[in-house]
Amino acid sequence: MPSMYSFSVPIFQRGLQNLSAYLDKIEAHAAEKGIEAEELVSARLIDDMLPLSGQYQRASDTAKLTISRLAGIDAPRFEDNETTVADLRERLKKTQDFLATITPATMEGSDTREVTIAPGGNKIVFKGEDYLAKFALPNFFFHVTTAHDILRSRGLAVGKMNYLGALG
């Protein structure tokens, strides 16, 4: 039976790698179009949604906070002040560095660990397995998908295979 580790850490790592690859595409697109890459970093799908930088921040937060909650360890804290491609690259690197410290043993017992969150002030208590499956992974992919959609809406040549990343 697959472990909580295998359904979390490698999935987050892959999604963050895909977000990192998008940063290369942002730089290439900006150079080709003669625009500043920061225009894309601050782009939104619609006014009341977070900009691309916010999507990266929330994907990073979801990955590190999910693992810390499930493993019962402290997560690194980031300021949410990224405004450039270089800033976003650094944030992804710090998140990946944290995830690289996690082992399957770190996650032992996390399937039954109680996890309490309070989105929008509403307290929700999950069993670890339910938290991962019903909240954390959908939340992570919401932000990765929204980042992808922002870039598509700005004319970047990113498609389904970019979203899925290297298969195999």
Side-chain angles (χ1 to χ4, degrees), residues 30-98:
E32 177 187 323
K33 299 295 182 187
I35 62 172
E36 294 295 321
E38 288 68 31
E39 286 182 37
L40 297 168
V41 172
S42 64
R44 298 171 188 263
L45 275 180
I46 194 161
D47 290 341
D48 68 349
M49 290 183 77
L50 291 170
L52 183 72
S53 58
Q55 304 305 327
Y56 272 69
Q57 291 160 354
R58 296 313 174 278
S60 163
D61 285 347
T62 300
K64 66 188 176 73
L65 291 172
T66 296
I67 297 306
S68 70
R69 289 171 179 147
L70 289 172
I73 60 175
D74 290 332
R77 293 184 179 268
F78 305 149
E79 294 297 317
D80 292 346
N81 58 2
E82 294 82 10
T83 59
T84 67
V85 168
D87 293 342
L88 292 175
R89 246 186 242 292
E90 180 61 23
R91 184 184 183 109
L92 293 178
K93 180 187 180 315
K94 291 187 297 188
T95 308
Q96 290 281 32
D97 289 347
F98 169 68

